[in-house]
């Protein structure tokens, strides 16, 4: 039994999606419904006209007009069938395109949470395969109306010929109704299992393709193939179940429908012998009995509709994931001060950040360091609202990020990532992504700052080279990502491990440009190298989901545990290494300490004593 939308959000969203999609192609759906019903009507008229023509021919009366009527109905049926085919294809294509646009926009609105929950491969399977299957729903519904009109019209026509014929047929109708109900229920269940197995295979395949070099280097192709195809038995069982359901329905239809047809024809023969029916009416009655028992058509329509509804439910699951909501506040003028107040964030049911407090004054640079899994990238995502915390709030120049308008937030925060996705047709467009009207000069200046201008100019068409035609190393891709962040501008620049693939010389040049004198941009960078952390005004050391300490790199370097973050000083700490130096205030405003230390960045201090790398 299908859950109501109140109890099952995915089912409710699926119904809303299908209703809206049907309205989107409403005029074409109405035309398709009318054409389908007209074709059904013409099909119902044809047996009566054939019967009348036969009676006239047997009576040797003029029958030319009725024969022409028959020919006209046959031609009309062919024309309506062609129009129905074109309209069905058009409605399917339009509805599928609308669903894909709607779901793609929603997935991008949800952000990284969508991929975290469903997996990129499964999302692609839903947006491509399931959207195409769900897109057939409006046309399938219109066709189902016509398919139902055939049996109903056949029963009515039998009653018009003689009420005994309709009574005989209706005596066996409940069996057909139960058969159709079972087909719809069982097909929907097996189709859902089939599509879920498809999604698992797609998710595993996407992971394998993304890590294909690792797989080949490890020589584990066979193992990965087995992992990707592990859901295949479930897929096979669900597919076979669908075929068995339809096969059983067809077998029962073969058993029940001919019996009803024979019963109608037998009664018609009796009525013929008693003079109540003519030969033409017997012919018409036999044809109407076939139309009235059109279970095969209904089974196919119901099975297709059940598969489409199962696919729509998978789209509804995506739609039920709430998109990121933005506020209406404008961002006031300010230096780009970033604050995290009691921020707690979870991933996969695990608390990654727990009560984090940070205060980054405008125009300063904070490096975030910590061991793998300490929450550095999550903190960077929260700082620019690529993710939302479960508790606490993040503020930019005193305004909570949740309350900012979308354009104000995205215009104020620039990002660069370890593995940037270079979107856009050309290299220049990839660098200027997100800018309303990027000038060539601004793009080139950003590329020069990121030390990308030289290798871009060496490309066949320079900045007009298509991204797909621009071979580049990991470091060159990172430089293009940095150029995009520099071109973006804004008051807050977040670098999430965006220097990791650069050689040390290139990294030093970029950090000199990044931290040198210039416009007062606040910078938050996830750092894995001591040299990068040393260039920052202050370092936030994450450990166990909390801020262990905030201070200058050369001051924190005295701690063996801090040096171990960078793979240095892994031996036993010196006796004096156990205390964190008093480089920042590590207490709350009320003077009470807590387990996770927090702090405020101090202005940049003088160079250290040479003990830091």
């Amino acid at each position: 039994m299908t859950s109501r939308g109140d109890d099952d959000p995915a089912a409710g969203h699926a119904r809303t999606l299908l209703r809206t999609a049907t309205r989107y192609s409403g005029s074409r759906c109405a035309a398709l419904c009318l054409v389908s019903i007209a074709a059904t009507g013409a099909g119902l008229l044809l047996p009566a006209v054939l019967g009348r023509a036969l009676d006239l021919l047997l009576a040797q009366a003029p029958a030319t007009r009725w024969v022409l009527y028959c020919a006209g109905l046959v031609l009309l049926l062919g024309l309506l069938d062609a129009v129905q085919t074109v309209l069905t294809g058009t409605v399917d294509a339009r509805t599928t395109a609308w669903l894909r646009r709607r779901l793609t926009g929603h997935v991008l609105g949800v952000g990284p949470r969508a991929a975290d929950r469903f997996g990129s491969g499964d999302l692609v399977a839903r947006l491509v395969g399931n959207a195409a299957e769900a897109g057939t729903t409006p046309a399938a519904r219109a066709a189902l109306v016509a398919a139902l009109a055939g049996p109903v019209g056949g029963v009515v026509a039998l009653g018009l010929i003689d009420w005994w014929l309709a009574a005989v047929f209706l005596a066996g109708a409940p069996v057909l109704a139960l058969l159709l109900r079972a087909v719809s229920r069982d097909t929907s269940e097996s189709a859902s299992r089939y599509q879920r197995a498809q999604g698992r295979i797609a998710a595993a395949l996407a992971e394998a393709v993304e890590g294909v070099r690792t797989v080949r280097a490890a020589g584990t192709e066979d193992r990965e193939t087995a992992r990707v195809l592990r859901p295949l038995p479930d897929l096979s069982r669900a597919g076979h179940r669908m075929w068995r359901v339809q096969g059983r329905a067809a077998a029962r239809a073969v058993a029940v429908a001919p019996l009803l047809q024979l019963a109608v024809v037998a009664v018609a023969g009796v009525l013929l012998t008693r003079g109540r029916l003519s030969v033409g009416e017997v012919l018409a009655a036999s044809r109407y009995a076939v139309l009235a028992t059109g279970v095969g058509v209904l089974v196919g329509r119901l099975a297709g509709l059940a598969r489409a509804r199962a696919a729509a439910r998978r789209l509804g699951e995506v739609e039920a994931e709430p998109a990121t909501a933005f506020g209406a506040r404008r961002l006031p003028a300010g230096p780009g001060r970033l604050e995290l107040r009691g921020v707690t964030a979870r991933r996969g049911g695990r608390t990654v950040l727990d009560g984090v407090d940070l205060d980054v004054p405008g125009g300063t640079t904070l490096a975030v360091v910590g061991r793998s899994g300490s929450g550095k990238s999550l903190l960077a995502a929260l700082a620019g609202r690529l993710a939302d915390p479960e508790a606490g709030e993040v503020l930019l120049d005193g305004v909570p990020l949740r309350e900012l308008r979308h354009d104000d937030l995205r215009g104020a925060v620039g990002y660069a990532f370890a593995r940037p996705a270079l979107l856009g047709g050309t290299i220049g467009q990839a660098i200027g992504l997100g800018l309303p009207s990027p000038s060539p000069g601004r793009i080139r200046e950003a590329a020069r700052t990121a030390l990308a201008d030289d290798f871009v100019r060496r490309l066949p068409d320079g900045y007009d080279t298509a991204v797909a035609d621009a071979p580049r190393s990991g470091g060159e891709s990172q430089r293009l990502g940095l150029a995009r962040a520099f071109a973006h501008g804004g008051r807050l620049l977040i670098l999430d491990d965006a220097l990791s693939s650069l050689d040390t010389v290139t990294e030093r040049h970029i950090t000199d440009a990044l931290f040198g004198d210039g416009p007062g941009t606040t910078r938050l960078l996830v750092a894995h190298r001591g040299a990068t952390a040393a260039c920052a005004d202050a370092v936030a050391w994450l450990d166990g989901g909390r801020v262990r300490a905030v201070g200058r790199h050369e001051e924190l370097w005295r701690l063996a545990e801090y040096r171990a973050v960078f793979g240095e000083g892994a031996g036993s700490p010196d006796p004096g290494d156990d205390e964190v130096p008093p480089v920042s205030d590590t207490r709350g405003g009320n003077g009470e300490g807590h387990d996770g230390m927090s702090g405020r960045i101090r202005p940049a201090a003088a160079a250290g004593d040479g003990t830091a790398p």
Side-chain angles (χ1 to χ4, degrees):
M1 183 175 179
T2 304
S3 301
R4 293 189 58 81
D6 295 341
D7 302 324
D8 187 353
H13 281 281
R15 283 193 289 271
T16 302
L17 271 177
L18 293 180
R19 281 197 300 268
T20 311
T22 302
R23 286 198 298 269
Y24 175 73
S25 297
S27 58
R28 287 176 171 81
C29 286
L32 176 59
C33 192
L34 291 175
V35 169
S36 300
I37 292 175
T40 301
L44 289 170
L45 281 176
L46 186 57
V49 175
L50 280 172
R52 179 60 177 164
L54 178 60
D55 285 339
L56 291 174
L57 289 172
L58 291 175
Q60 296 183 349
T64 304
R65 186 178 60 176
W66 290 94
V67 172
L68 290 176
Y69 287 159
C70 291
L73 284 172
V74 170
L75 291 174
L76 179 61
L77 281 169
L79 177 62
L80 291 174
D81 182 66
V83 174
Q84 187 177 359
T85 301
V86 172
L87 282 174
T88 299
T90 303
V91 170
D92 288 351
R94 281 176 56 86
T95 307
T96 300
W98 183 86
L99 286 171
R100 285 174 177 164
R101 284 196 301 271
R102 167 78 173 255
L103 268 295
T104 300
H106 184 74
V107 167
L108 295 177
V110 172
R113 278 187 293 111
D116 291 342
R117 177 180 172 185
F118 301 104
S120 57
D122 189 33
L123 277 176
V124 170
R126 292 173 192 250
L127 295 179
V128 177
N130 294 149
E133 204 153 18
T136 64
T137 303
R141 286 174 173 171
L144 183 62
V145 170
L148 287 170
V152 172
V155 173
V156 172
L158 287 173
L160 292 175
I161 295 173
D162 193 286
W163 68 272
W164 273 105
L165 301 178
V168 170
F169 179 84
L170 291 175
V175 178
L176 294 177
L178 291 174
L179 172 63
L180 294 175
R181 183 175 181 275
V183 168
S184 177
R185 182 189 65 245
D186 295 344
T187 300
S188 179
E189 179 186 355
S190 54
S192 296
R193 292 179 179 177
Y194 188 86
Q195 290 163 3
R196 285 196 297 269
Q198 280 183 318
R200 292 199 299 273
I201 290 176
L205 181 60
E207 293 173 1
V209 170
E210 185 177 359
V212 64
R213 289 184 298 178
T214 302
V215 172
R216 295 199 59 182
T220 57
E221 292 91 339
D222 293 341
R223 189 184 307 170
E224 278 300 299
T225 301
R227 184 181 70 85
V228 171
L229 299 180
R230 192 171 297 146
L232 200 57
D234 293 339
L235 186 76
S236 177
R237 283 192 294 270
H240 280 86
R241 177 170 171 75
M242 278 195 294
W243 288 115
R244 283 196 300 271
V245 167
Q246 296 185 42
R248 284 198 299 267
R252 291 167 183 169
V254 168
V256 175
L259 292 177
L260 287 175
Q261 294 166 14
L262 286 173
V264 170
V265 172
V267 172
V270 172
L271 295 175
L272 175 65
T273 60
R274 295 182 179 180
R276 290 176 56 176
L277 295 181
S278 66
V279 174
E281 288 174 327
V282 172
L283 172 64
S286 66
R287 292 299 307 155
Y288 286 132
V290 172
L291 289 174
T293 56
V295 178
V297 175
L298 283 174
V299 166
R301 299 295 185 193
L302 285 173
L305 192 57
R307 290 193 297 271
R309 291 179 63 183
R313 191 187 183 287
R314 283 173 55 78
L315 300 183
E317 291 175 356
V318 178
E319 186 88 356
E321 190 71 18
T324 301
F326 291 87
R329 292 184 63 176
R330 303 297 301 263
L331 186 63
R337 179 184 179 185
L338 177 68
E339 298 173 79
L340 280 75
R341 298 178 178 173
V343 168
T344 296
R346 301 181 181 89
R347 284 295 179 270
R350 181 176 68 92
T351 299
V352 179
L353 297 175
D354 185 10
V356 171
D357 293 303
L358 278 176
D359 187 354
V360 187
T364 62
T365 301
L366 175 69
V368 181
V369 305
R371 294 182 182 275
S372 177
S374 60
K376 301 184 297 298
S377 290
L378 180 55
L379 188 146
L382 295 170
R385 211 188 170 203
L386 296 184
D388 285 325
E390 275 68 29
E393 60 181 357
V394 183
L395 301 92
L396 183 61
D397 284 323
V399 182
L401 298 188
R402 293 177 185 268
E403 299 179 10
L404 284 175
R405 296 170 66 242
H406 173 274
D407 292 346
D408 282 31
L409 174 60
R410 292 298 161 229
V413 182
Y415 264 100
F417 303 98
R419 291 187 292 177
L422 299 176
L423 308 176
T426 66
I427 294 294
Q429 291 171 349
I431 295 175
L433 184 71
L435 298 178
S437 54
S439 65
R442 182 174 181 177
I443 290 174
R444 285 195 294 272
E445 179 60 30
R448 281 194 289 268
T449 303
L451 300 185
D453 182 65
D454 286 344
F455 80 80
V456 171
R457 287 181 178 275
R458 290 196 297 268
L459 294 173
D461 298 311
Y463 287 89
D464 293 325
T465 303
V467 173
D469 298 334
R472 56 196 181 273
S473 66
E476 288 169 340
S477 293
Q478 276 199 345
R479 277 185 270 170
L480 291 175
L482 286 165
R484 180 172 61 201
F486 296 152
H488 178 276
R491 64 183 73 179
L492 175 61
L493 179 61
I494 300 174
L495 307 183
D496 184 4
D497 201 18
L499 308 175
S500 58
S501 295
L502 304 180
D503 61 84
T504 53
V505 175
T506 302
E507 180 182 0
R508 181 55 185 267
H509 285 303
I510 291 178
T511 52
D512 287 343
L514 185 64
F515 304 138
D517 294 335
T521 300
T522 305
R523 295 165 290 266
L524 177 74
L525 65 146
V526 174
H528 288 274
R529 294 176 181 172
T532 306
C535 294
D537 295 321
V539 176
W541 174 16
L542 290 182
D543 186 26
R546 294 172 177 252
V547 178
R548 176 77 174 271
V550 176
R552 291 298 301 263
H553 173 72
E554 58 268 22
E555 295 169 330
L556 296 179
W557 191 257
R558 301 168 188 164
L559 302 174
E561 291 183 12
Y562 179 79
R563 294 196 299 272
V565 171
F566 303 97
E568 301 285 347
S572 300
D574 294 334
D577 284 343
D578 292 333
E579 283 194 28
V580 178
V583 295
S584 61
D585 181 10
T586 59
R587 299 179 181 271
N590 59 3
E592 295 179 359
H594 52 82
D595 292 338
M597 301 175 67
S598 64
R600 175 185 175 89
I601 296 179
R602 301 183 310 163
D609 57 4
T611 59

